Amino acid sequence: MQHILIIVNDAPYGSERLFNALRLAIQLNEQDNPPAKVSLFLLSDAITAVIPKQNPAEGYNIQQMLEIIIAQGSQVKFCGSCMHSRGLTELKVIEGCEVATMDDLAQWLLIADKAVTF
């Protein structure tokens, strides 16, 4: 089984980078031949995607997509330093999303067969 790491830097709304990263993660999780293990790491403004109950104006809902990815068995982590630098450390986050460090990202990268950045 391939381990695919997806790293995202852009905010959840405003550009479609995170949306496209999540679409890819969902599709990768649905592949049977060969199967893939997908891990998602959110950096910079992408960390705001883990804030629940956002009311998007666009036609997609990042929270629902993250919940699908988590239900498919993927791990979703976000940068604690990025959260802290934005003053968001006390916010509630979507269930299943986990605060992490750059060391966690480094460990994932070392074991990943492939890494994709958005």
Side-chain angles (χ1 to χ4, degrees):
M1 179 181 298
Q2 288 189 72
H3 180 210
I4 300 171
L5 172 60
I6 299 175
I7 303 167
V8 187
N9 289 283
D10 276 10
Y13 301 101
S15 89
E16 292 186 351
R17 285 192 179 118
L18 179 61
F19 171 64
N20 287 325
L22 299 181
R23 289 175 53 214
L24 177 60
I26 290 168
Q27 289 302 309
L28 287 167
N29 280 328
E30 292 178 355
Q31 301 304 304
D32 292 327
N33 192 17
K37 175 186 176 188
V38 178
S39 300
L40 180 68
F41 200 96
L42 306 173
L43 289 167
S44 301
D45 288 338
I47 57 97
T48 60
V50 301
I51 300 170
K53 300 180 181 172
Q54 295 184 48
N55 190 13
E58 285 87 355
Y60 54 90
N61 186 302
I62 295 297
Q63 179 173 350
Q64 288 176 346
M65 295 178 82
L66 283 170
E67 289 169 344
I68 290 168
I69 290 165
I70 292 165
Q72 289 176 323
S74 288
Q75 284 188 283
V76 176
K77 294 186 179 185
F78 60 94
C79 176
S81 297
C82 299
M83 200 76 144
H84 180 72
S85 70
R86 287 160 178 79
L88 302 174
T89 53
E90 299 301 318
L91 288 178
K92 187 175 182 178
V93 300
I94 296 168
E95 187 175 335
C97 296
E98 182 182 336
V99 68
T101 65
M102 194 57 68
D103 186 55
D104 294 318
L105 177 56
Q107 291 300 314
W108 268 3
L109 189 56
L110 289 171
I111 63 170
D113 296 302
K114 295 178 182 160
V116 181
T117 61
F118 285 85

